[in-house]
Amino acid sequence: MGARFGQVLCSAAASAGAASAKETKSMPLRVQILLYDGVEEQDFIGPRDVFGHAVQAGGEVETTLVRPSAPGEVTCFFGTKVTVPAAWEPTDTDLLIVPGGGDQLINDPDVLQNLVRAQEAGVIVAGVCTGVMVLSAAGLTKGRPCTTHHLAKAELAAQGGRVIDARVVDDGNLVTAGGVTSGIDLALWLITRECGASVAIGVESIMEYEQRGAVWRST
């Protein structure tokens, strides 16, 4: 894991309680969410909401929607069109979220190579739903604890992933989640881990949502 792994500074509002040790790290937490044609709307909107509300709750988080190769418009799974403002720079972030929905990225060798580059550079790589299968195609889940949508778990295991029956699985610089709405829980967990529990509780209050399920952790 790289030097920036977990290196986050959260505001004074997030510096109280049992999570205070996490809340005195370097700032801010830089998040990229990778969008592409066919991406499932909820897979990325859920995490985007969490990271956005984390700022309102006192966390220092910068979130950018990115697209492979160049900025531009993507057409999502249900036809929603989203203008993506930035090109993906694989090593220029602390945390990368790969949502699911389509198989375009699985068949893109440049994307797969860049995922490996990102993780080797110290980026925390996280997958939501079948976005985890993109990480698997890049070889990032082989031999490691992980999860995905229940309909894809057998395939993930066949490709070498050590599939865990949990909604969110945290293996350090690889964090994975189950299907669709699990992305909200993944993002809440990452805010808890990187910015502290008080920020995550604030997000839950704003969103009127409580994190579901226990997080499986390797450490």
Side-chain angles (χ1 to χ4, degrees):
M1 292 178 282
R4 286 200 58 87
F5 173 68
Q7 298 299 301
V8 180
L9 173 68
C10 295
S11 72
S15 61
S20 60
K22 276 189 174 292
E23 296 165 352
T24 56
K25 297 178 180 179
S26 63
M27 69 175 197
L29 176 66
R30 301 172 301 161
V31 180
Q32 292 177 342
I33 302 178
L34 187 62
L35 300 192
Y36 55 94
D37 287 330
V39 66
E40 213 281 354
E41 283 90 336
Q42 180 60 45
D43 279 16
F44 75 88
I45 287 295
R48 179 66 188 92
D49 252 25
V50 170
F51 295 125
H53 287 306
V55 176
Q56 295 181 307
E60 295 197 26
V61 183
E62 293 179 355
T63 306
T64 307
L65 302 180
V66 298
R67 182 172 175 265
S69 302
E73 185 178 82
V74 300
T75 302
C76 303
F77 189 80
F78 292 109
T80 307
K81 295 187 183 299
V82 177
T83 299
V84 182
W88 178 32
E89 296 292 342
T91 63
D92 189 27
T93 191
D94 305 306
L95 168 62
L96 172 70
I97 306 291
V98 182
D103 62 2
Q104 289 88 337
L105 299 187
I106 290 175
N107 299 312
D108 189 327
D110 290 335
V111 166
L112 302 184
Q113 183 179 35
N114 281 331
L115 285 169
V116 174
R117 283 182 57 215
Q119 194 174 72
E120 288 178 346
V123 174
I124 304 164
V125 179
V128 178
C129 194
T130 55
V132 180
M133 301 311 299
V134 181
L135 308 187
S136 179
L140 300 186
T141 63
K142 189 171 184 179
R144 299 188 65 175
C146 54
T147 193
T148 187
H149 192 285
H150 68 277
L151 295 178
K153 284 183 176 179
E155 183 180 359
L156 182 60
Q159 293 178 9
R162 184 156 70 88
V163 176
I164 304 294
D165 188 18
R167 193 165 171 85
V168 177
V169 175
D170 181 343
D171 192 34
N173 66 353
L174 176 70
V175 186
T176 54
V180 195
T181 58
S182 298
I184 301 173
D185 301 292
L186 176 140
L188 279 168
W189 167 245
L190 288 166
I191 288 297
T192 302
R193 192 181 97 171
E194 301 300 323
C195 293
S198 58
V199 176
I201 290 169
V203 174
E204 287 183 331
S205 176
I206 294 167
M207 294 182 67
E208 294 194 349
Y209 178 90
E210 293 183 359
Q211 192 173 169
R212 291 179 55 195
V215 175
W216 186 97
R217 301 188 68 184
S218 58
T219 56

PDB file of all heavy atoms in Angstrom, residues 36 102-113 133-134 137-138:
ATOM      1  N   TYR A  36     -18.740   5.272 -17.393  1.00  0.00           N
ATOM      2  CA  TYR A  36     -18.577   4.729 -18.746  1.00  0.00           C
ATOM      3  C   TYR A  36     -19.966   4.406 -19.281  1.00  0.00           C
ATOM      4  O   TYR A  36     -20.947   4.317 -18.522  1.00  0.00           O
ATOM      5  CB  TYR A  36     -17.713   3.468 -18.711  1.00  0.00           C
ATOM      6  CG  TYR A  36     -18.240   2.395 -17.767  1.00  0.00           C
ATOM      7  CD1 TYR A  36     -19.059   1.375 -18.242  1.00  0.00           C
ATOM      8  CD2 TYR A  36     -17.956   2.428 -16.402  1.00  0.00           C
ATOM      9  CE1 TYR A  36     -19.564   0.408 -17.394  1.00  0.00           C
ATOM     10  CE2 TYR A  36     -18.454   1.469 -15.542  1.00  0.00           C
ATOM     11  CZ  TYR A  36     -19.260   0.460 -16.038  1.00  0.00           C
ATOM     12  OH  TYR A  36     -19.777  -0.481 -15.179  1.00  0.00           O
ATOM     13  N   GLY A 102     -22.196  -2.597 -16.874  1.00  0.00           N
ATOM     14  CA  GLY A 102     -21.902  -3.116 -18.210  1.00  0.00           C
ATOM     15  C   GLY A 102     -20.547  -3.799 -18.241  1.00  0.00           C
ATOM     16  O   GLY A 102     -19.812  -3.787 -17.264  1.00  0.00           O
ATOM     17  N   ASP A 103     -20.227  -4.412 -19.385  1.00  0.00           N
ATOM     18  CA  ASP A 103     -18.958  -5.139 -19.487  1.00  0.00           C
ATOM     19  C   ASP A 103     -17.939  -4.421 -20.371  1.00  0.00           C
ATOM     20  O   ASP A 103     -16.901  -4.980 -20.731  1.00  0.00           O
ATOM     21  CB  ASP A 103     -19.180  -6.554 -20.007  1.00  0.00           C
ATOM     22  CG  ASP A 103     -19.787  -6.580 -21.411  1.00  0.00           C
ATOM     23  OD1 ASP A 103     -19.998  -5.485 -21.988  1.00  0.00           O
ATOM     24  OD2 ASP A 103     -20.039  -7.686 -21.916  1.00  0.00           O
ATOM     25  N   GLN A 104     -18.212  -3.147 -20.697  1.00  0.00           N
ATOM     26  CA  GLN A 104     -17.302  -2.422 -21.584  1.00  0.00           C
ATOM     27  C   GLN A 104     -15.888  -2.352 -21.009  1.00  0.00           C
ATOM     28  O   GLN A 104     -14.899  -2.516 -21.731  1.00  0.00           O
ATOM     29  CB  GLN A 104     -17.833  -1.003 -21.848  1.00  0.00           C
ATOM     30  CG  GLN A 104     -19.059  -0.952 -22.725  1.00  0.00           C
ATOM     31  CD  GLN A 104     -20.355  -1.074 -21.926  1.00  0.00           C
ATOM     32  OE1 GLN A 104     -20.363  -1.597 -20.824  1.00  0.00           O
ATOM     33  NE2 GLN A 104     -21.432  -0.615 -22.505  1.00  0.00           N
ATOM     34  N   LEU A 105     -15.788  -2.093 -19.722  1.00  0.00           N
ATOM     35  CA  LEU A 105     -14.463  -1.936 -19.123  1.00  0.00           C
ATOM     36  C   LEU A 105     -13.712  -3.259 -19.062  1.00  0.00           C
ATOM     37  O   LEU A 105     -12.484  -3.287 -19.143  1.00  0.00           O
ATOM     38  CB  LEU A 105     -14.581  -1.342 -17.718  1.00  0.00           C
ATOM     39  CG  LEU A 105     -15.215   0.043 -17.607  1.00  0.00           C
ATOM     40  CD1 LEU A 105     -15.102   0.550 -16.171  1.00  0.00           C
ATOM     41  CD2 LEU A 105     -14.592   1.034 -18.572  1.00  0.00           C
ATOM     42  N   ILE A 106     -14.451  -4.353 -18.902  1.00  0.00           N
ATOM     43  CA  ILE A 106     -13.817  -5.663 -18.826  1.00  0.00           C
ATOM     44  C   ILE A 106     -13.047  -5.963 -20.112  1.00  0.00           C
ATOM     45  O   ILE A 106     -12.022  -6.651 -20.089  1.00  0.00           O
ATOM     46  CB  ILE A 106     -14.870  -6.755 -18.555  1.00  0.00           C
ATOM     47  CG1 ILE A 106     -15.402  -6.617 -17.125  1.00  0.00           C
ATOM     48  CG2 ILE A 106     -14.297  -8.150 -18.776  1.00  0.00           C
ATOM     49  CD1 ILE A 106     -16.532  -7.561 -16.787  1.00  0.00           C
ATOM     50  N   ASN A 107     -13.546  -5.427 -21.219  1.00  0.00           N
ATOM     51  CA  ASN A 107     -12.936  -5.699 -22.523  1.00  0.00           C
ATOM     52  C   ASN A 107     -11.994  -4.593 -22.982  1.00  0.00           C
ATOM     53  O   ASN A 107     -11.603  -4.562 -24.147  1.00  0.00           O
ATOM     54  CB  ASN A 107     -14.040  -5.900 -23.564  1.00  0.00           C
ATOM     55  CG  ASN A 107     -14.933  -7.078 -23.223  1.00  0.00           C
ATOM     56  OD1 ASN A 107     -14.445  -8.156 -22.903  1.00  0.00           O
ATOM     57  ND2 ASN A 107     -16.238  -6.868 -23.278  1.00  0.00           N
ATOM     58  N   ASP A 108     -11.619  -3.701 -22.062  1.00  0.00           N
ATOM     59  CA  ASP A 108     -10.742  -2.581 -22.407  1.00  0.00           C
ATOM     60  C   ASP A 108      -9.374  -2.792 -21.747  1.00  0.00           C
ATOM     61  O   ASP A 108      -9.212  -2.550 -20.558  1.00  0.00           O
ATOM     62  CB  ASP A 108     -11.356  -1.275 -21.926  1.00  0.00           C
ATOM     63  CG  ASP A 108     -10.609  -0.052 -22.426  1.00  0.00           C
ATOM     64  OD1 ASP A 108      -9.379  -0.125 -22.582  1.00  0.00           O
ATOM     65  OD2 ASP A 108     -11.250   0.998 -22.632  1.00  0.00           O
ATOM     66  N   PRO A 109      -8.375  -3.237 -22.494  1.00  0.00           N
ATOM     67  CA  PRO A 109      -7.070  -3.542 -21.888  1.00  0.00           C
ATOM     68  C   PRO A 109      -6.400  -2.327 -21.260  1.00  0.00           C
ATOM     69  O   PRO A 109      -5.665  -2.474 -20.277  1.00  0.00           O
ATOM     70  CB  PRO A 109      -6.247  -4.096 -23.053  1.00  0.00           C
ATOM     71  CG  PRO A 109      -6.934  -3.623 -24.294  1.00  0.00           C
ATOM     72  CD  PRO A 109      -8.385  -3.526 -23.950  1.00  0.00           C
ATOM     73  N   ASP A 110      -6.647  -1.140 -21.806  1.00  0.00           N
ATOM     74  CA  ASP A 110      -6.048   0.061 -21.224  1.00  0.00           C
ATOM     75  C   ASP A 110      -6.617   0.328 -19.832  1.00  0.00           C
ATOM     76  O   ASP A 110      -5.888   0.685 -18.898  1.00  0.00           O
ATOM     77  CB  ASP A 110      -6.291   1.271 -22.125  1.00  0.00           C
ATOM     78  CG  ASP A 110      -5.500   1.203 -23.416  1.00  0.00           C
ATOM     79  OD1 ASP A 110      -4.453   0.520 -23.430  1.00  0.00           O
ATOM     80  OD2 ASP A 110      -5.924   1.814 -24.406  1.00  0.00           O
ATOM     81  N   VAL A 111      -7.918   0.154 -19.684  1.00  0.00           N
ATOM     82  CA  VAL A 111      -8.548   0.337 -18.377  1.00  0.00           C
ATOM     83  C   VAL A 111      -7.991  -0.673 -17.376  1.00  0.00           C
ATOM     84  O   VAL A 111      -7.655  -0.325 -16.237  1.00  0.00           O
ATOM     85  CB  VAL A 111     -10.082   0.200 -18.486  1.00  0.00           C
ATOM     86  CG1 VAL A 111     -10.710   0.049 -17.099  1.00  0.00           C
ATOM     87  CG2 VAL A 111     -10.672   1.404 -19.203  1.00  0.00           C
ATOM     88  N   LEU A 112      -7.888  -1.914 -17.781  1.00  0.00           N
ATOM     89  CA  LEU A 112      -7.397  -2.949 -16.871  1.00  0.00           C
ATOM     90  C   LEU A 112      -5.960  -2.663 -16.434  1.00  0.00           C
ATOM     91  O   LEU A 112      -5.612  -2.802 -15.252  1.00  0.00           O
ATOM     92  CB  LEU A 112      -7.494  -4.324 -17.537  1.00  0.00           C
ATOM     93  CG  LEU A 112      -8.895  -4.740 -17.998  1.00  0.00           C
ATOM     94  CD1 LEU A 112      -8.872  -6.162 -18.546  1.00  0.00           C
ATOM     95  CD2 LEU A 112      -9.922  -4.614 -16.887  1.00  0.00           C
ATOM     96  N   GLN A 113      -5.134  -2.253 -17.377  1.00  0.00           N
ATOM     97  CA  GLN A 113      -3.744  -1.914 -17.053  1.00  0.00           C
ATOM     98  C   GLN A 113      -3.685  -0.722 -16.099  1.00  0.00           C
ATOM     99  O   GLN A 113      -2.882  -0.703 -15.161  1.00  0.00           O
ATOM    100  CB  GLN A 113      -2.967  -1.615 -18.327  1.00  0.00           C
ATOM    101  CG  GLN A 113      -1.485  -1.329 -18.095  1.00  0.00           C
ATOM    102  CD  GLN A 113      -0.750  -1.058 -19.401  1.00  0.00           C
ATOM    103  OE1 GLN A 113      -1.295  -0.476 -20.331  1.00  0.00           O
ATOM    104  NE2 GLN A 113       0.498  -1.482 -19.468  1.00  0.00           N
ATOM    105  N   MET A 133     -16.209  -7.174 -11.027  1.00  0.00           N
ATOM    106  CA  MET A 133     -15.762  -8.074 -12.083  1.00  0.00           C
ATOM    107  C   MET A 133     -14.739  -7.390 -12.988  1.00  0.00           C
ATOM    108  O   MET A 133     -13.902  -8.058 -13.602  1.00  0.00           O
ATOM    109  CB  MET A 133     -16.961  -8.560 -12.905  1.00  0.00           C
ATOM    110  CG  MET A 133     -18.014  -9.304 -12.090  1.00  0.00           C
ATOM    111  SD  MET A 133     -17.337 -10.619 -11.019  1.00  0.00           S
ATOM    112  CE  MET A 133     -16.596 -11.709 -12.239  1.00  0.00           C
ATOM    113  N   VAL A 134     -14.797  -6.076 -13.072  1.00  0.00           N
ATOM    114  CA  VAL A 134     -13.761  -5.339 -13.802  1.00  0.00           C
ATOM    115  C   VAL A 134     -12.434  -5.457 -13.041  1.00  0.00           C
ATOM    116  O   VAL A 134     -11.375  -5.685 -13.645  1.00  0.00           O
ATOM    117  CB  VAL A 134     -14.156  -3.860 -13.977  1.00  0.00           C
ATOM    118  CG1 VAL A 134     -13.080  -3.106 -14.752  1.00  0.00           C
ATOM    119  CG2 VAL A 134     -15.503  -3.739 -14.675  1.00  0.00           C
ATOM    120  N   ALA A 137     -11.096  -8.836 -13.716  1.00  0.00           N
ATOM    121  CA  ALA A 137     -10.482  -8.948 -15.043  1.00  0.00           C
ATOM    122  C   ALA A 137      -9.082  -8.354 -15.054  1.00  0.00           C
ATOM    123  O   ALA A 137      -8.216  -8.787 -15.830  1.00  0.00           O
ATOM    124  CB  ALA A 137     -11.359  -8.253 -16.084  1.00  0.00           C
ATOM    125  N   ALA A 138      -8.849  -7.368 -14.175  1.00  0.00           N
ATOM    126  CA  ALA A 138      -7.520  -6.764 -14.068  1.00  0.00           C
ATOM    127  C   ALA A 138      -6.591  -7.574 -13.162  1.00  0.00           C
ATOM    128  O   ALA A 138      -5.420  -7.219 -13.004  1.00  0.00           O
ATOM    129  CB  ALA A 138      -7.636  -5.343 -13.521  1.00  0.00           C
TER     130      ALA A 138
END
